[in-house]
Amino acid sequence: MELGAPGIEGLAEHMVRNSAPTANLLKRLSLDLPIIQAPMAGVSSPAMAAAVAQAGGLGSLGVGAADAEGAGRMIAETRERSNKPLNVNVFTHQPARRDLHVETAWIERLRPQFEAFGAEPPTALGEIYKSFVADDAMLAMLIAQKPAVVSLHFGLPEPRRLQALRDAGIVLFASVTSLAEARLAAAAGVDALIAQGYEAGGHRGVFDPDTADDQLGVLALTRLLVSQFDLPIVAAGGIMDGAGIGAVLALGAAAAQLGAAYVATDESLADNGYRQALFSDAAHHTVMTRAISGRPARCLANRFTRVCADAAPAAVPQYPIAYDLGKALHTAAKTAGESGFGAQWAGQGAPLARRMSAGALTRTLADEIR
Ligand SMILES: Cc1cc2nc3c(=O)[nH]c(=O)nc-3n(C[C@H](O)[C@H](O)[C@H](O)COP(=O)(O)O)c2cc1C
């Protein structure tokens, strides 16, 4: 650190002002703060993204569960509230390989849970979301709408799709969980890497959920990527406050991406059961499970994670086929007054969540950095 550098309490602000990766990213995206509100399909909202943007961070929409028309409406609604840069996040999984034997066995396995709520499971499951790798309408909509950033979760689409987004002036981010995935994303020409640690809430961004996972934590992964790539690295996983943001900036990250911290904000679409669970003992016991959706994701411990604790990965239908059944079970349970079958995603920092508006949280995080 150069002469005249601040003491430890001023370190984070010093990092924001003087770190080249942070300064470059903030300048490129016209942001005031190295804070990215994580895209959270089904939980983040246009009001949340706009509030974060107005407070100087990067607001994000998760459109992985929407079609092009729905995603276009979300972008329009956000822009009615804020004209600041926006991140739109798509899911880039390989389309599911169907296996009717596995799907039927999975339905039968969860049948008693449905019956306990006086409901019947669906007789067949469907691929409820279209992957961006095969969604031409979504690509055309994004090119027309030109959000400042498009971020990719679960892998990389074919080069021509990335080139089309780039030609529209869109900055590309990709979630990665390992050095090998980071190399693929860097080779594909993305502009920034999101280092998603094993602590992180929600779906793990692994490109292939069926290969071995080294489960790197955010600290090691961030340092590894900072040391290997000349690209901005965004750290994600378990970051809940200014101290956490300062810590990842000190590791060389250009910015921090926070998901669980925003789940309890006023603008979140999380239902009451999810919010109550977040402020209960369950927050101390997050679980990585693929039983809810078909891909590994970190969830608050609840009845769903307990019922499926011993499910072998091969017994669970591929993403998002399993999610079709998971959502049906949640609906049946919720109708009967039981909220413990929700996809209550949250990272390991969940007990540090705070109830406030998304704008107030972003400003509080900024004050804590200072
Ligand atoms: C409720 C929830 C939903 C999420 N949905 C998405 C999503 O749609 N797209 C995405 O790229 N990441 C998603 N994530 C992961 C975040 O991008 C990020 O990696 C994670 O929230 C960081 O960990 P944290 O929750 O401990 O802050 C989600 C996370 C949560 C908590």
Side-chain angles (χ1 to χ4, degrees):
M1 206 177 288
E2 75 266 26
L3 212 63
I8 193 74
E9 66 288 350
L11 184 62
E13 187 179 13
H14 176 80
M15 302 298 312
V16 175
R17 283 185 199 284
N18 298 315
S19 127
T22 298
N24 292 342
L25 189 73
L26 297 190
K27 189 163 172 227
R28 180 159 188 196
L29 296 176
S30 306
L31 304 175
D32 298 327
L33 301 170
I35 298 172
I36 301 176
Q37 163 251 315
M40 296 182 282
V43 171
S44 55
S45 64
M48 182 190 290
V52 172
Q54 289 303 107
L58 181 61
S60 308
L61 295 174
V63 304
D67 60 12
E69 207 184 320
R73 275 197 302 273
M74 288 160 77
I75 294 172
E77 204 185 313
T78 311
R79 285 182 169 158
E80 277 167 24
R81 295 163 182 262
S82 170
N83 59 7
K84 304 259 187 193
L86 172 67
N87 169 28
V88 179
N89 172 263
V90 292
F91 288 156
T92 43
H93 53 284
Q94 286 309 309
R97 280 189 315 275
R98 304 299 301 256
D99 184 331
L100 282 183
H101 176 71
V102 170
E103 292 170 26
T104 309
W106 189 241
I107 292 172
E108 289 314 310
R109 180 180 166 136
L110 290 178
R111 176 180 294 280
Q113 306 301 328
F114 281 87
E115 289 177 349
F117 300 116
E120 278 286 309
T123 50
L125 305 177
E127 193 168 357
I128 51 176
Y129 311 139
K130 193 167 192 179
S131 171
F132 180 68
V133 304
D135 195 342
D136 292 334
M138 186 71 83
L139 178 63
M141 186 280 293
L142 290 171
I143 289 168
Q145 293 300 326
K146 298 186 186 21
V149 178
V150 165
S151 63
L152 313 164
H153 204 53
F154 300 148
L156 300 162
E158 52 186 332
R160 73 171 176 89
R161 291 176 189 271
L162 294 180
Q163 193 56 46
L165 293 169
R166 221 178 272 121
D167 289 346
I170 296 168
V171 172
L172 299 174
F173 287 13
S175 296
V176 297
T177 65
S178 67
L179 185 55
E181 290 171 355
R183 286 196 176 119
L184 291 172
V190 304
D191 301 285
L193 299 169
I194 301 166
Q196 191 197 35
Y198 199 62
E199 304 90 332
H203 281 100
R204 199 150 160 66
V206 284
F207 289 13
D208 179 354
D210 296 319
T211 56
D213 184 349
D214 289 319
Q215 305 181 355
L216 296 180
V218 71
L219 195 154
L221 181 61
T222 300
R223 277 312 285 166
L224 202 54
L225 301 192
V226 166
S227 73
Q228 298 279 323
F229 298 96
D230 193 18
L231 284 175
I233 307 300
V234 175
I239 305 166
M240 301 297 289
D241 54 20
I245 297 169
V248 296
L249 296 184
L251 296 175
Q257 177 160 306
L258 288 72
Y262 283 94
V263 170
T265 58
D266 302 342
E267 294 86 346
S268 155
L269 302 178
D271 65 14
N272 282 338
Y274 190 172
R275 288 170 190 265
Q276 276 166 17
L278 186 58
F279 292 100
S280 76
D281 185 58
H284 293 272
H285 308 286
T286 62
V287 179
M288 188 67 80
T289 177
R290 71 165 77 195
I292 296 176
S293 74
R295 265 185 166 263
R298 188 172 292 283
C299 185
L300 300 170
N302 64 14
R303 278 187 68 180
F304 208 149
T305 65
R306 276 189 289 280
V307 163
C308 295
D310 62 350
V316 184
Q318 291 209 334
Y319 178 90
I321 313 270
Y323 218 174
D324 195 9
L325 191 64
K327 284 173 185 282
L329 179 53
H330 172 51
T331 302
K334 202 172 161 179
T335 307
E338 165 62 60
S339 60
F341 285 90
Q344 296 166 337
W345 310 134
Q348 289 179 339
L352 298 168
R354 293 175 274 196
R355 292 184 185 92
M356 53 174 81
S357 74
L361 175 60
T362 308
R363 288 188 293 275
T364 301
L365 294 169
D367 286 345
E368 290 172 348
I369 294 173
R370 285 173 202 124

